[in-house]
Each structure stands twice: as structure tokens, then as C-alpha cells.
Amino acid sequence: MPQHLVAIPLAVFIHTSFSRSRDAVIGAYFLPYITSTVAIAIMFSSLFSTDYGLINQALLAVFGGEPSTGWASPRTSSRRSR
């Protein structure tokens, strides 16, 4: 509850004070959240890559067989029913 005492007046201040540059201020505020999510996505896609992924290569070394493309395929990685 105490964070609302700061958050609501701050939101009203941003909404009223930055009428011209409101979108830039909001974008700057959310930029750390967006960049960390993108960095995690890039990291996991490189770790599980079928060509040079470290985890995929380790699984091939331990179990052998063909490289797995299951996590790269939208059909097998999606949880939607088709």
C-alpha cells in the first residue's frame, strides 16, 4: 500500500507535466524492463540453437542422435491446440 502513495502522484505528475514528451518519458521508464526481457530471450535462443547452442551440443554429446529442433519449431513449442 505505501508504494501507491508515491506511484499515484508520480503518475499524475507525468501525465500533466509532460504533455508533449509523455510517450518518451513513459518509454524511458519501461526501457529497463523491455531490454532485460529481450536480453533473456536472446540468451536462451543462443543456448538452445540447433547449430551452435551450448545446451543442444551438450545433450548431443551425452545422448547422441540428431540435433533437436523441437524448441525452434513453432508447431512443437507452442501450447496452442491446433
Side-chain angles (χ1 to χ4, degrees):
M1 180 66 186
Q3 70 262 19
H4 290 114
L5 296 175
V6 174
I8 292 174
L10 182 63
V12 170
F13 173 73
I14 289 173
H15 184 74
T16 57
S17 298
F18 297 105
S19 61
R20 287 189 169 191
S21 61
R22 185 180 320 146
D23 293 337
V25 170
I26 291 172
Y29 178 78
F30 284 110
L31 191 63
Y33 301 106
I34 295 168
T35 54
S36 65
T37 303
V38 170
I40 290 170
I42 291 171
M43 186 76 131
F44 272 95
S45 69
S46 66
L47 285 172
F48 287 104
S49 173
T50 57
D51 298 329
Y52 56 88
L54 186 64
I55 293 177
N56 208 8
Q57 293 300 321
L59 289 173
L60 285 176
V62 172
F63 297 110
E66 304 245 346
S68 175
T69 59
W71 24 64
S73 170
R75 183 169 182 254
T76 56
S77 64
S78 177
R79 295 183 57 82
R80 292 185 298 169
S81 60
R82 297 184 188 253

